[in-house]
């Protein structure tokens, strides 16, 4: 467990926290006028290894060589020249901080977006220490500036990360659709008051990240994924972006609790550990591992049925009493991966320097791909 303190005066700025992997949706911007929940679970923090925040430099100033040294292999509009290692926490886990009065930068809509640097200060010495983000369409978070805070361990030892077996017993997975809240009531079909059922933003971000890896693993050949939910999530985009015709490469789900993958599947969709961020790997190496957040992978590998089975007599352990609990409404549209997450991931894969994959990247916003993202 750790606490973060002000680098200026040493005042404590957070409650005790434990480190977890940076969520795939940490930098996601979702929809328009949408109220997204808090990014981090209470009591946790994650570190973004890349530079973040102002100042920003345009691609023309950076050039491909410097960008590649920073792990970016295709043009982007701009890259941050801020300090690397920003720490993200749940806003409610901050302690001893205050909003900087009047700090309402240009570009905000319904709240704070943190785009212009720290808007939160240490309550004791007034040093700017963090950026509070709560604008619409952004995940609510507090981003601690890495050069304004220090991390202090508050116990001598930390609990070992759970094993894959323990994770399987503890985690039921992330549902693929959920109610999305809006700032104002909507009246379209399928919408009720201030929320509507939609594909999960977390799933759309995870799919964007995984789709980048699937494209890189394809080698420019068609890729086929398993039927069912995985097919809904990936196949439409893979078919549209990759050339048609044999031979196709097969991607299969693999990981804890699943049979060992066969030798004819060079691409494995596998979980990443929610605490450490490490990717599950089989005993026998395969060419390509495509990481998925554990909760998303868990649901893909072991989907949960919509309805409990009606029971009579004594209910078994774990069976809900509401026999007629209705299923969650299915989203009224086809699944769409998050385009920004896809591009952000793709430009950071060395394979994007291949001409065929670079062309896919450049064509992502072509009108013929309308509706994919």
């Amino acid at each position: 467990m750790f606490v973060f303190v002000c680098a200026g005066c040493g005042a404590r700025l957070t409650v005790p926290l434990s480190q977890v992997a940076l969520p795939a949706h940490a930098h996601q911007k979702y929809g328009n006028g949408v109220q997204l929940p808090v990014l981090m679970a209470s009591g946790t923090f994650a570190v973004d290894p890349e530079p973040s925040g102002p100042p920003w430099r345009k691609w023309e100033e950076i050039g491909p060589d410097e960008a590649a040294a920073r792990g970016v292999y295709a043009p982007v509009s701009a890259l941050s020249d801020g300090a690397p290692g920003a720490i993200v926490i749940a806003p409610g886990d901050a302690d001893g901080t205050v909003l900087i009065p009047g700090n309402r930068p240009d570009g905000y809509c319904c709240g704070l977006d943190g785009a212009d640097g720290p808007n939160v200060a240490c309550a004791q010495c007034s040093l700017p220490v963090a950026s509070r983000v709560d604008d619409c369409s952004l995940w609510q978070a507090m981003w601690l500036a890495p050069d304004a805070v220090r991390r202090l361990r508050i116990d001598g030892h930390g609990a070992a990360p759970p094993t894959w077996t323990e994770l399987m017993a503890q985690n039921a997975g992330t549902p693929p659709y959920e109610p999305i809240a809006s700032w104002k009531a909507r009246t379209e079909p399928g919408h009720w008051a201030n929320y509507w059922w939609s594909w999960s933003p977390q799933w759309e971000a995870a799919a964007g990240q995984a789709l980048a890896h699937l494209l890189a693993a394809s080698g420019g050949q068609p890729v086929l994924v398993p039927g069912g939910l995985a097919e809904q999530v990936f196949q439409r985009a893979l078919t549209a972006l990759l050339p048609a015709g044999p031979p196709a490469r097969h991607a299969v789900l693999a990981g804890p609790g699943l049979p060992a993958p066969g030798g004819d599947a060079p691409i494995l969709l596998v979980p990443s550990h929610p605490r450490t961020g490490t990717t599950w790997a089989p005993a026998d190496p395969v060419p390509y591992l495509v990481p998925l957040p554990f909760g998303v992978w868990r649901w893909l590998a072991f989907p949960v049925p919509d309805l409990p089975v009606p029971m009579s007599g004594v209910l078994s352990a774990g069976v809900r009493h509401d026999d007629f609990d209705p299923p969650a409404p299915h989203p009224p549209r086809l699944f769409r991966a998050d385009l920004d997450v896809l591009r952000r991931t793709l430009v950071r894969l060395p394979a994007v320097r291949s001409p065929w994959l670079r062309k896919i990247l450049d064509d992502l916003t072509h009108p013929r791909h309308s509706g994919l993202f």
Side-chain angles (χ1 to χ4, degrees):
M1 300 290 287
F2 300 89
V3 295
F4 290 87
V5 300
C6 175
C9 68
R12 196 167 95 165
L13 302 176
T14 70
V15 301
L17 304 169
S18 59
Q19 187 168 4
V20 298
L22 185 71
H25 52 287
H27 298 291
Q28 182 183 34
K29 182 176 176 63
Y30 182 84
N32 181 28
V34 172
Q35 289 181 303
L36 290 177
V38 175
L39 174 66
M40 302 299 296
S42 181
T44 68
F45 74 94
V47 178
D48 186 351
E50 293 197 18
S52 60
W56 298 88
R57 293 171 63 198
K58 294 183 178 180
W59 179 260
E60 293 75 14
E61 303 173 48
I62 300 169
D65 292 338
E66 182 182 346
R70 295 176 55 171
V72 178
Y73 303 101
V76 294
S77 59
L79 282 174
S80 169
D81 251 5
I87 302 102
V88 62
I89 67 173
D93 286 340
D95 186 23
T97 63
V98 293
L99 283 171
I100 298 174
N103 191 326
R104 298 278 290 185
D106 292 338
Y108 73 90
C109 181
C110 303
L112 300 171
D113 63 8
D116 285 359
N119 53 30
V120 171
C122 169
Q124 184 160 307
C125 72
S126 299
L127 177 72
V129 293
S131 296
R132 173 73 161 94
V133 175
D134 58 13
D135 204 0
C136 59
S137 301
L138 299 176
W139 290 86
Q140 297 182 47
M142 182 86 82
W143 290 87
L144 304 177
D147 52 359
V149 300
R150 291 186 292 113
R151 185 196 311 191
L152 297 181
R153 183 183 289 274
I154 58 172
D155 57 10
H157 61 279
T163 65
W164 292 110
T165 301
E166 291 169 337
L167 282 175
M168 292 295 292
Q170 299 168 2
N171 192 310
T174 303
Y177 23 87
E178 62 184 70
I180 303 296
S182 174
W183 283 98
K184 60 181 180 180
R186 301 172 61 126
T187 58
E188 299 98 306
H191 295 73
W192 303 271
N194 289 67
Y195 76 94
W196 70 99
W197 281 90
S198 174
W199 291 101
S200 164
Q202 294 185 51
W203 273 68
E204 295 189 5
Q209 184 183 72
L211 184 58
H213 288 276
L214 283 167
L215 292 171
S218 74
Q221 299 174 230
V223 171
L224 298 177
V225 299
L229 189 54
E231 185 177 19
Q232 293 182 58
V233 170
F234 296 115
Q235 195 63 65
R236 194 164 64 99
L238 289 170
T239 301
L241 297 174
L242 292 170
R249 292 185 170 179
H250 290 263
V252 300
L253 288 158
L258 291 177
D264 60 343
I267 306 171
L268 301 185
L269 297 161
V270 298
S272 56
H273 198 288
R275 278 273 300 275
T276 66
T278 55
T279 300
W280 181 92
D284 296 325
V286 296
Y288 301 102
L289 298 176
V290 175
L292 285 164
F294 181 82
V296 172
W297 174 89
R298 178 80 160 76
W299 199 286
L300 280 173
F302 303 96
V304 177
D306 287 332
L307 276 171
V309 178
M311 299 287 292
S312 61
V314 178
L315 295 177
S316 303
V319 175
R320 287 184 286 181
H321 288 264
D322 46 344
D323 293 344
F324 301 101
D325 188 21
H330 284 229
R333 61 169 173 83
L334 296 174
F335 183 88
R336 297 196 293 257
D338 190 294
L339 178 60
D340 289 339
V341 176
L342 168 59
R343 297 178 70 174
R344 178 182 175 86
T345 306
L346 202 51
V347 301
R348 286 162 173 79
L349 299 179
V352 79
R353 292 178 291 193
S354 302
W356 66 269
L357 189 51
R358 174 64 185 276
K359 185 177 188 307
I360 290 176
L361 172 66
D362 293 341
D363 288 349
L364 285 175
T365 55
H366 193 281
R368 69 174 176 272
H369 298 323
S370 176
L372 286 179
F373 309 108

